Amino acid sequence: ANPQNGPEPLNPVTDFKINDLDVVDRASDKEVAAVQMQSHKCLACPKLDEHFADMKQRDDLQQRIEQTAHSLSDRNLSLIQVFDAKLELLRRLQYINDYNMLELKGHVCCTINSAYELMVTELIFEDAFNDLSPAECVALLSCLTAQDKSATEPPKLPENLGNIKEKLVQLAGWLGAIQHECGIDTNPEHYTETALKFGLMLVAYEWANGKPFHEICQMTTVLEGS
């Protein structure tokens, strides 16, 4: 070992027995570069440290220029606009305050991860579940969690489920309209179609009321477990 430069560097091929071709090539390139550096005339420059510091500063500035250019790109500007629009939506719905701190509705919304968070949160704060039976609650929630596109809407819902469906459509339309007003690229019709699926509403209702499973299977084309 050289007392000035420290111990000799270990070779990944000869010392660690690494035979990966990519590693071998990189180790060989490193050794060639090290030899070339030893004979480079810049090592004899009395201002080497000063020049090295200048180059380091130049590289740092170049990285900052590239990062700034990236942050000002059209794509990132559009993302900032979307972000600001969503913040405005959360303020309108009183999920956050003027300082972007979470309010009670925002905390509740953060705990919901299996359905459309805005829909469920608004339903909770409108006391939509208070006057419903357990089976009706199950039917309502199925509209927010059903994902299978083959779930065709039943030809006729009983009056109680029809009323629930109507309220859900009204709420989804209202949320879609507010999002559109805040600058989010959606509309009431699209949001309603995306957020609500009524194909399993009656099925879930009958299941929650204890209807036999084999009869449930005859009510829908959706596979069990979906």
Side-chain angles (χ1 to χ4, degrees), residues 86-201:
K86 291 187 176 182
L87 283 179
E88 177 61 24
L89 171 67
L90 295 177
R91 293 190 196 97
R92 287 275 300 273
L93 296 175
Q94 298 181 345
Y95 286 49
I96 60 175
N97 59 25
D98 291 337
Y99 301 99
N100 295 338
M101 302 294 292
L102 281 175
E103 299 284 11
L104 177 59
K105 289 177 72 174
H107 283 289
V108 171
C109 189
C110 288
T111 66
I112 300 167
N113 55 22
S114 59
Y116 278 78
E117 297 89 344
L118 297 181
M119 286 286 299
V120 178
T121 303
E122 293 301 320
L123 287 167
I124 291 172
F125 280 85
E126 287 186 2
D127 298 329
F129 297 95
N130 288 7
D131 297 327
L132 301 182
S133 68
E136 289 172 337
C137 289
V138 170
L140 184 156
L141 292 173
S142 75
C143 304
L144 299 168
T145 57
Q147 298 178 353
D148 199 315
K149 294 182 180 179
S150 66
T152 55
E153 186 174 345
K156 184 174 177 58
L157 292 171
E159 182 179 359
N160 60 333
L161 298 188
N163 293 335
I164 294 173
K165 175 183 175 181
E166 183 178 351
K167 291 179 181 179
L168 286 174
V169 170
Q170 291 176 353
L171 176 60
W174 176 72
L175 284 173
I178 290 183
Q179 292 180 69
H180 184 70
E181 292 172 7
C182 291
I184 297 174
D185 187 17
T186 188
N187 58 65
E189 293 77 16
H190 178 265
Y191 184 78
T192 301
E193 292 176 2
T194 304
L196 300 176
K197 300 288 187 297
F198 297 104
L200 293 177
M201 190 178 191

Side-chain angles (χ1 to χ4, degrees), residues 64-79:
R64 289 177 61 185
I65 290 173
E66 293 174 357
Q67 291 173 355
T68 303
H70 176 70
S71 65
L72 293 176
S73 66
D74 291 340
R75 181 175 181 275
N76 279 280
L77 286 175
S78 66
L79 292 177

Side-chain angles (χ1 to χ4, degrees), residues 197-209:
K197 300 288 187 297
F198 297 104
L200 293 177
M201 190 178 191
L202 183 58
V203 174
Y205 178 74
E206 295 294 356
W207 170 79
N209 277 322

